[in-house]
Amino acid sequence: MSSLLSAHVSTMGEGVLAIPALWRDIWPPLAIRHSSSFLCLASVFSLSSLRIAFLIVRLSSSNMAHIVGYPRMGPKRELKFALESFWDGKSSAEDLKQVAKDLRASIWNQQKEAGVTWIPSNTFSYYDHVLDTTAMVGAVPERYGWTGPSVEFDTYFSMARGNKTTPAMEMTKWFDTNYHYIVPEIGPETKFSLASRKALDEYKEALELGVKTVPVFVGPVSYLIMSKATRDAPKNFDPLSLLDSILPVYKEILSELKAAGAHGVQFDEPTLVLDQESSRYEAYKKAYDFLGAEFGSGILIETYFADLPAEAYKTLIGLESVGAIGVDLVRGIKTLELIKEHGFPAEKKLLAGVVDGRNIWANDLAASLTLLEGLVADLGKDRVMVSTSCSLLHTAVDLKNETKLDDEMKSWMAFAAQKLHEVVALANALKGNKDEAFFAANAAAQESRRNSPRVHNAAVKEATKNLEESEHRRATPVVNRLEEQQKKLNLPILPTTTIGSFPQTPELRRVRREVKSKKITEEEYTKAIQTEIQNVVKLQEDLDLDVLVHGEPERNDMVEYFGEQLQGFVFTANGWVQSYGSRCVKPPVIFGDVSRPSSMTVYWSKYAQSLTSRPMKGMLTGPVTILNWSFVRVDQPRSTTCLQIALAIKDEVEDLEANGITVIQIDEAALREGLPLRKSEQASYQDWAVHSFRITTCGVKDTTQIHTHMCYSNFNDIIHSIIDMDADVITIENSRSDEKLLSVFREGVKYAAGIGPGVYDIHSPRIPSTEEMADRARKMLAVLESKVLWINPDCGLKTRKYAEVVPALTNLVAATKQLRAELASAK
Ligand SMILES: CN1c2c(nc(N)[nH]c2=O)NC[C@@H]1CNc1ccc(C(=O)N[C@@H](CCC(=O)N[C@@H](CCC(=O)N[C@@H](CCC(=O)O)C(=O)O)C(=O)O)C(=O)O)cc1
Ligand SMILES: N[C@@H](CCS)C(=O)O
Ligand SMILES: [Zn+2]
């Protein structure tokens, strides 16, 4: 900029050039206010100034579309395959980097071509964006032996997946999604330093492709709140107390980004939607005052997954350095009331997240436009940008690749690639540039879905109508039921079991694929699965496990498998969503009323039971988990859909019992995950979720043992709901979360049913030793009675290899026998 020009601008008081260009570009009130004098100046002074002026005029008249983040796996899961090949030593780090680079380029170009104004960068990750932040701030736990200065693949993937000597870091749910992040470990001794310039590298990479992006960071406050204290930290240590020392690292990368030409930076602060103590809000203020001093008002704060609490909203609008605020208007619209009540500062932009980042349904564009126009009426023109409700990471990638869905169904849907166009179309319409044909096609699709006979089933609606009026409880208390069951099952103390799945080998995937494509016959397929079940049963008998499983070889996924057999569901071919690392799930789509045309698992369970005299667990996925891990219809309450699924599973449970299966596990792995983030909504969810589970089990005999299983959650706050599920035995994730679960029992919660907190972290290739598992179980025995304790892994074994599973289970049984001997000698 010429010094003359800057001198002139500074005399203008609120000079255009004092505002970072990105915000200026989309802040037409400012740009327009100054544009005439600016243009005039530009023409007098220099060609480059002219170019700047032209840019402002061009961008201020462009639409205002923003995307919070984008899926990183690729339309055909290219990243997954590249990662796994690299981990298996079949390809080089360079090969992996090239795949990643190509994916990023294609994502940025796609967004540019769609007409997105603010295109995010640094939303790509080789494993997890929270782990990327850990790498960025150099918060590598000491045990990984990292000596700096920068975090490379070796250290990064060791933290994510463990290595031969060191287990992986803890992984847990990302808010209420099916995405899992690696939990940072922060202690008073943690020293932060800038150890990864991934954000800068990606920014420059996009720039080289001609795409100016908005780098995205996990905000420092959310990062610290989502961390856990290191084991050695003092008891009440709060990672957030290190805010002052982490901020300079963020500042350093911001200044490098600024030097590279970045004008806007997005900080994701999803913790702002949580109910928090007032003192917490000081942290956001401190952080953004500090970072704002470096970056000026080019800071955008994104919030998502729920409405904002009033105090969070007030804090946000009071942050002077922040130029734009993103809110989720899909998971709730109470934030709109806050905008009305407390106003929205004139100098800020509102990023209105109206396009759902967590579902695959086409947006109701007319309804969204009405909402957006309401906002414009309140805030004024050009202050409202259209955005996604959260990162598109949580939805499928591209509807284009769905060749098997019929045209009507596809017209009802929008995946990430289509959502880009929805955001842009809404932004254009707000600017008076409405694509009438696009809106008309969308309105027709909305109408056809509302009235489609494919969606509605009168018999199902009738069956679910009166369910809410009864409690649906088994009549006999759990303690007495357990006695009855024990007479029949005759299990040893500390019974051992596994959670259901055994390794999903490439051979199994091949037969499933081949039967689908009719390359092999149904008979050949059945034979292959039977052989697998025989092997799994034999292995468990050899290992001397007590309650067996059939191994789930016929299942592609614990939710998809059931959805495929229920009515009211459809399936995508490539609708993958990242769950953790390279692992993806393909959520079924619930589009209509749900019913069960015929039994789903009886054949395989009966077959497996016929091979052994030990009890064989029937294995089902519960209604809440099917609901939470599907893309759910949005035209009726989730609770209604859940009740419909519950009725279908209830029929299956009773069918299994009638066919001689005496232990039935109903997995509710995602029950905790669906807990609404805002406290005000939690009680109602717990009521209908737990009720739905009980509907599935209330019809069985006392002698039928109902197990349930949950993974990856913090259960302590819902322990009473778990008890209220009234299962006979619960197996639960424990080993990768520092036995947090056990603190509930230490605090005196009484649990009369059987419980198996996992002793083996199945998410890591590492094989736990006998002693390690015995130690874990001893800790449990310190707080739980031995007669209620079960010994089992954390979760299913599907992601593991037999070479890991066999020694790990051998050690698990050995540990149990050791403990049984200790208990016997203590008598
Ligand atoms: C327990 N968990 C689950 C969650 N959500 C679910 N919906 N399901 C879960 O089990 N959330 C919490 C945790 C998350 N944990 C996991 C664990 C493991 C996976 C996983 O392994 N995913 C697989 C994909 C699963 C699947 O459906 N596979 C299909 C095959 C799909 C495929 O790619 N086929 C290829 C050929 C592959 C080959 O080997 O030849 C093709 O058809 O071209 C199947 O098994 O049939 C993954 O690989 O990511 C996810 C979440
Ligand atoms: N029965 C399932 C539960 C996973 S949460 C399995 O074992 O894979
Ligand atoms: Zn599990």
Side-chain angles (χ1 to χ4, degrees), residues 182-326:
I182 302 289
V183 185
E185 293 171 31
I186 307 291
E189 72 293 349
T190 306
K191 295 274 171 291
F192 298 111
S193 64
L194 184 56
S196 160
R197 288 182 165 75
K198 176 179 167 294
L200 180 68
D201 296 343
E202 282 188 24
Y203 177 78
K204 289 182 177 165
E205 188 180 301
L207 215 50
E208 272 174 29
L209 297 168
V211 186
K212 195 164 173 76
T213 58
V214 179
V216 178
F217 294 92
V218 177
V221 182
S222 291
Y223 175 76
L224 291 173
I225 292 176
M226 303 300 281
S227 302
K228 66 173 184 179
T230 49
R231 265 173 198 261
D232 302 334
K235 197 162 183 298
N236 292 324
F237 176 78
D238 179 0
L240 192 53
S241 63
L242 293 199
L243 184 63
D244 283 339
S245 46
I246 204 171
L247 286 175
V249 180
Y250 274 85
K251 190 168 180 171
E252 199 178 336
I253 190 81
L254 285 194
S255 70
E256 291 186 15
L257 278 164
K258 195 164 144 186
H263 292 126
V265 181
Q266 173 180 321
F267 289 95
D268 287 4
E269 289 286 7
T271 50
L272 274 163
V273 306
L274 304 176
D275 297 288
Q276 305 187 80
E277 283 174 18
S278 294
S279 56
R280 279 270 175 91
Y281 294 110
E282 280 306 307
Y284 299 99
K285 187 163 165 15
K286 182 191 255 187
Y288 291 100
D289 283 352
F290 182 89
L291 297 176
E294 176 64 30
F295 212 77
S297 57
I299 289 179
L300 180 179
I301 296 198
E302 253 311 325
T303 68
Y304 38 77
F305 298 150
D307 282 317
L308 282 164
E311 205 163 347
Y313 179 77
K314 284 191 272 178
T315 304
L316 267 174
I317 59 173
L319 296 175
E320 278 170 23
S321 65
V322 169
I325 296 170

Side-chain angles (χ1 to χ4, degrees), residues 538-549:
K538 167 95 174 45
L539 172 64
Q540 293 172 91
E541 287 187 331
D542 291 349
L543 289 166
D544 202 13
L545 288 157
D546 301 307
V547 175
L548 309 194
V549 297

Side-chain angles (χ1 to χ4, degrees), residues 373-394:
E373 283 169 347
L375 274 171
V376 167
D378 286 347
L379 303 188
K381 202 161 173 288
D382 298 324
R383 294 191 45 226
V384 179
M385 282 190 73
V386 184
S387 184
T388 52
S389 64
C390 61
S391 168
L392 297 174
L393 177 68
H394 309 289

